[in-house]
Amino acid sequence: AQSVSQHNHHVILSEAASLELGCNYSYGGTVNLFWYVQYPGQHLQLLLKYFSGDPLVKGIKGFEAEFIKSKFSFNLRKPSVQWSDTAEYFCAVIGSYIPTFGRGTSLIVHP
Amino acid sequence: DVKVTQSSRYLVKRTGEKVFLECVQDMDHENMFWYRQDPGLGLRLIYFSYDVKMKEKGDIPEGYSVSREKKERFSLILESASTNQTSMYLCASSLRLQAIGEQYFGPGTRLTVT
């Protein structure tokens, strides 16, 4: 069975600070990896995805994530956060066509 | 734009009632999913469907069933609602199996069971 671990449950930053949210997974085979974001009062939406190829993937709104196979990790980064990045962020793993989401990280950005 | 709609935003039901949550997507997606979202627990997969009349159990199927009679519609059924099923229920769809992780989510139904 696959699993996903998001280490940071709550993160509080000031605007312009750098962000890194951790995501580790366990699965014995090939995986596809995703980050989703849920802004306050809005639907969950896809932020970025990794299937294969370049392990550094870029998503919307300046976010990027790096797949490190040896560490089973897919951390989300942004060099300079904005107040509008306040949201809940979910890492997801797809192995054998079954999706598994992490518990989420709540990010609050103070102006 | 893909649109996933859920029949109710808020629902209050009594313990023991049979509850139907409906989800409709308008983009001819093959795959549909039901999750529940609870604070601190993230999204947990209840059931999913690869195609019409097909269903697969997710991580927490107990106390739930599903129905997919038409491609665009995926229903979640709580046979006998209990208070521990009070939660936010999210429906999602994705185009095809190879893109199963690229999911489009509905607005959610907040169900309270009293």
Side-chain angles (χ1 to χ4, degrees):
Chain A
Q2 64 202 30
S3 65
V4 179
S5 177
Q6 292 183 240
H7 315 296
N8 319 99
H9 300 299
H10 300 280
V11 174
I12 300 173
L13 296 172
S14 297
E15 274 193 321
S18 64
L19 170 72
E20 182 159 3
L21 302 183
C23 173
N24 285 88
Y25 69 93
S26 67
Y27 184 71
T30 302
V31 294
N32 295 328
L33 298 156
F34 304 82
W35 276 97
Y36 280 82
V37 60
Q38 188 172 32
Y39 297 104
Q42 295 188 25
H43 303 190
L44 265 159
Q45 58 184 283
L46 183 64
L47 194 57
L48 48 74
K49 61 190 177 187
Y50 172 79
F51 288 104
S52 63
D54 188 345
L56 184 64
V57 293
K58 295 188 185 299
I60 60 172
K61 303 187 180 186
F63 285 91
E64 64 179 32
E66 186 176 13
F67 171 51
I68 303 179
K69 191 175 181 180
S70 60
K71 294 185 178 180
F72 298 92
S73 71
F74 189 57
N75 292 354
L76 182 70
R77 300 194 295 245
K78 186 171 185 180
S80 176
V81 295
Q82 300 173 310
W83 173 79
S84 57
D85 293 324
T86 292
E88 191 149 17
Y89 293 82
F90 295 92
C91 181
V93 168
I94 310 290
S96 296
Y97 303 115
I98 299 173
T100 299
F101 282 76
R103 295 190 174 199
T105 297
S106 173
L107 171 66
I108 296 174
V109 180
H110 288 300
Chain B
D1 276 351
V2 175
K3 197 164 185 184
V4 179
T5 56
Q6 296 184 229
S7 50
S8 305
R9 291 300 303 272
Y10 301 93
L11 211 51
V12 180
K13 295 291 182 182
R14 293 189 183 275
T15 301
E17 277 193 85
K18 192 168 185 175
V19 181
F20 293 86
L21 302 182
E22 304 285 340
C23 175
V24 177
Q25 50 93 4
D26 67 356
M27 284 298 290
D28 203 35
H29 282 184
E30 292 178 359
N31 312 312
M32 297 188 75
F33 309 84
W34 276 106
Y35 298 89
R36 60 177 286 176
Q37 182 179 14
D38 300 287
L41 297 178
L43 274 71
R44 291 180 292 167
L45 182 64
I46 304 171
Y47 269 97
F48 59 106
S49 169
Y50 294 130
D51 202 348
V52 177
K53 297 195 186 293
M54 292 182 65
K55 59 184 179 183
E56 298 287 340
K57 291 181 180 179
D59 298 318
I60 52 164
E62 296 79 19
Y64 304 94
S65 62
V66 290
S67 172
R68 195 167 180 202
E69 295 296 318
K70 293 185 178 181
K71 192 173 186 178
E72 67 272 18
R73 188 179 298 269
F74 193 34
S75 304
L76 180 69
I77 304 150
L78 285 66
E79 297 291 341
S80 177
S82 63
T83 54
N84 63 14
Q85 293 178 310
T86 290
S87 186
M88 172 69 87
Y89 289 88
L90 298 180
C91 177
S93 70
S94 65
L95 178 59
R96 58 187 188 277
L97 204 60
Q98 291 73 16
I100 195 168
E102 297 180 57
Q103 298 186 13
Y104 295 82
F105 283 83
T109 295
R110 186 166 294 283
L111 173 67
T112 302
V113 182
T114 61

